[in-house]
């Protein structure tokens, strides 16, 4: 049977929320990794590298559990890769 319109709207809203959360998590992870990289250059580097690694593992576990979130994150990563490739080709 077909889901009722209210149920369909709720599913779409949940999907949009998951996509927004995925984007935010990816951006937060990128900022944390960049901050960790900056810190690792200014001191021994072990603590910053370990923190970055643990953050990446935590994001990976979160993404692995939710198929919609995983799909959203993969689309976001593909977009970022395309932007970087276009910028390097244009230089």
């Amino acid at each position: 049977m077909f889901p009722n319109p209210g149920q369909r709207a709720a599913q779409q809203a949940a999907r949009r929320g998951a996509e927004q959360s995925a984007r935010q998590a990816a951006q937060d992870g990128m900022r944390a990794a960049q901050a960790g990289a900056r810190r690792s250059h200014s001191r021994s580097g072990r603590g910053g590298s370990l923190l970055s690694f643990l953050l990446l593992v935590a994001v990976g576990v979160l993404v692995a559990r939710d198929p919609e979130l995983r799909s959203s994150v993969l689309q976001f990563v593909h977009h970022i890769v395309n932007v970087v490739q276009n910028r390097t080709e244009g230089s």
Side-chain angles (χ1 to χ4, degrees), residues 11-19 22 63 65-75:
Q11 289 172 344
Q12 289 173 345
R15 187 178 325 116
R16 282 192 298 269
E19 289 171 358
V63 168
R65 288 185 176 183
D66 187 357
E68 289 180 6
L69 184 60
R70 182 173 49 238
S71 174
S72 297
V73 169
L74 287 175
Q75 288 175 353

Side-chain angles (χ1 to χ4, degrees), residues 20-32 59 73 76-77:
Q20 180 65 27
S21 295
R23 282 189 204 96
Q24 187 65 42
Q27 290 172 352
D28 291 347
M30 288 173 30
R31 280 190 215 108
V59 170
V73 169
F76 179 75
V77 169

Side-chain angles (χ1 to χ4, degrees), residues 51-65:
L51 180 63
S52 297
F53 174 74
L54 291 176
L55 180 65
L56 289 174
V57 169
V59 170
V61 168
L62 177 68
V63 168
R65 288 185 176 183

Side-chain angles (χ1 to χ4, degrees), residues 1-5 7-8:
M1 289 303 235
F2 296 105
N4 65 30
Q7 185 179 13
R8 182 175 290 153

